């Protein structure tokens, strides 16, 4: 799994702080940005997130290149609809003449399971290559498995990223999308540390778990430590 932050709004924290400050100031945004002092964003962003005053956070966006993930993952990813844009490698236009696939760790670590899995993948590849001789790739792809590797470019605004991290950095999320979410969080924390300081599952960001009986127990652990 490979994820890179390929573009983001420049000076994201300053822009958010200026947009938020505009709500409470007689000054215009340009003047606020001009007067902005280094280090002012940190306190301000913390307060915004705490108060849930999140519309200013929507002004900045982050674009990621994602590779080496399965179509299992991409299917879950595109369920996130709000404040997000996706582009994904097409199986209509790009023939899967030698398709890569993702092997879940439980299968990779079990020699018997791995043998079954890899054997089936080889058979599917063979059948696909035969089928594309007779039908277009858009129909031959119906043979391809959920494990097929895919590539995407995704753009999230910071508010929708917060929501994504709440759901997908949680231990209850499926392992592959959780791994992706953790890596995405690491990437944005490098460029906007104050903005994403408290991002993550709700047990970390708010000290609350909504999983009820399914809770992993981390929220209780965090509570007992504080
Ligand atoms: C652990 C886990 C297990 C899951 N299991 C399943 C499963 O078994 N089956 C399944 O189908 N999905 C499952 N999902 C996917 C889940 O139901 C959501 O589709 C997905 O997490 C996207 O979340 P979202 O709708 O909050 O995000 P977004 O689509 O980005 O929406 C963000 C927020 O906007 C609001 N919103 C968006 N659209 C609407 C709307 N139409 N009406 C009103 N408000 C709206 C909501 O407040 C929503 O939280 C699972 C997700 C997780 C994290």
């Amino acid at each position: 799994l490979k994820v890179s932050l390929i573009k983001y709004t420049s000076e994201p924290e300053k822009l958010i702080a200026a947009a938020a400050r505009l709500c409470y100031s007689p000054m215009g945004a340009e003047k606020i940005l001009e007067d902005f002092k280094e280090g002012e964003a940190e306190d301000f962003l913390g307060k915004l997130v705490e108060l849930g005053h999140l519309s200013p956070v929507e002004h900045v966006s982050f674009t990621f290149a994602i590779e080496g993930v399965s179509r299992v993952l991409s299917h879950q990813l595109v369920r996130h609809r709000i404040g997000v844009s996706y582009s994904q490698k097409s199986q209509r236009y790009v023939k899967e003449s030698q398709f890569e696939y993702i092997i879940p760790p439980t299968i990779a670590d079990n020699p018997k399971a791995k043998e079954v899995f890899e054997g089936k993948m080889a058979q599917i590849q063979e059948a696909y290559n035969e089928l594309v001789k007779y039908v277009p790739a858009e129909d031959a792809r119906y043979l391809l498995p959920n494990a097929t590797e895919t590539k995407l470019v995704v753009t999230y605004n910071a508010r929708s990223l917060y929501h994504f991290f709440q759901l997908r950095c949680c231990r209850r999320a499926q392992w592959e999308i959780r791994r992706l979410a953790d890596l995405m969080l690491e990437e944005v924390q490098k460029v906007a540390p104050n903005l994403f300081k408290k991002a993550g599952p709700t047990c970390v960001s708010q000290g609350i778990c909504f999983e009820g009986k399914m809770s992993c127990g981390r929220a209780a652990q965090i509570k007992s430590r504080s």
Side-chain angles (χ1 to χ4, degrees):
L1 193 164
K2 191 173 157 217
V3 55
S4 339
L5 180 62
I6 53 172
K7 270 270 182 280
Y8 59 95
T9 309
S10 72
E11 300 188 280
E13 298 188 338
K14 191 171 162 185
L15 177 58
I16 292 169
R21 191 163 278 179
L22 174 93
C23 305
Y24 313 108
S25 167
M27 283 192 287
E30 270 184 314
K31 179 79 179 116
I32 293 172
L33 275 170
E34 241 174 66
D35 292 353
F36 213 84
K37 290 181 193 67
E38 280 302 314
E40 273 185 328
E42 184 172 352
D43 248 15
F44 203 73
L45 287 170
K47 275 187 207 132
L48 270 189
V49 173
E50 225 164 80
L51 286 170
H53 178 20
L54 292 176
S55 57
V57 175
E58 294 167 15
H59 293 297
V60 303
S61 62
F62 297 84
T63 300
F64 302 86
I66 300 169
E67 291 179 20
V69 295
S70 69
R71 284 205 159 231
V72 171
L73 180 144
S74 66
H75 191 79
Q76 295 176 82
L77 193 65
V78 300
R79 295 295 300 276
H80 294 265
R81 299 155 287 180
I82 308 295
V84 199
S85 308
Y86 302 99
S87 303
Q88 180 170 21
K89 182 179 117 180
S90 164
Q91 289 183 326
R92 285 184 85 189
Y93 302 114
V94 184
K95 276 199 187 134
E96 299 279 12
S97 315
Q98 192 57 62
F99 76 85
E100 301 284 330
Y101 52 86
I102 309 306
I103 311 183
T106 52
I107 296 178
D109 294 344
N110 180 323
K112 268 269 165 250
K114 195 168 175 226
E115 192 186 322
V116 173
F117 191 81
E118 290 185 333
K120 276 292 161 217
M121 292 297 143
Q123 282 177 6
I124 292 171
Q125 181 72 76
E126 206 178 309
Y128 175 89
N129 290 346
E130 187 65 16
L131 209 53
V132 281
K133 290 180 193 161
Y134 315 119
V135 300
E138 71 171 14
D139 292 338
R141 68 178 159 167
Y142 278 67
L143 263 183
L144 296 171
N146 271 334
T148 308
E149 191 261 358
T150 190
K151 296 176 177 52
L152 303 103
V153 170
V154 301
T155 301
Y156 281 71
N157 75 41
R159 186 177 188 173
S160 53
L161 256 187
Y162 245 85
H163 181 65
F164 175 73
F165 293 143
Q166 280 184 348
L167 295 178
R168 303 299 184 172
C169 293
C170 170
R171 288 182 187 161
R172 288 270 304 132
Q174 186 258 352
W175 66 267
E176 193 184 9
I177 196 164
R178 176 149 58 96
R179 195 174 282 176
L180 172 73
D182 287 343
L183 291 173
M184 286 167 65
L185 178 55
E186 275 177 29
E187 287 294 297
V188 293
Q189 278 176 336
K190 287 180 203 157
V191 298
N194 300 306
L195 176 59
F196 290 105
K197 196 167 163 181
K198 292 213 166 162
T202 55
C203 56
V204 174
S205 61
Q206 298 164 33
I208 309 166
C209 175
F210 297 103
E211 292 294 325
K213 283 186 186 154
M214 310 285 242
S215 175
C216 70
R218 194 172 174 195
Q221 277 171 7
I222 293 173
K223 210 170 184 179
S224 71
R225 271 190 247 123
S226 59

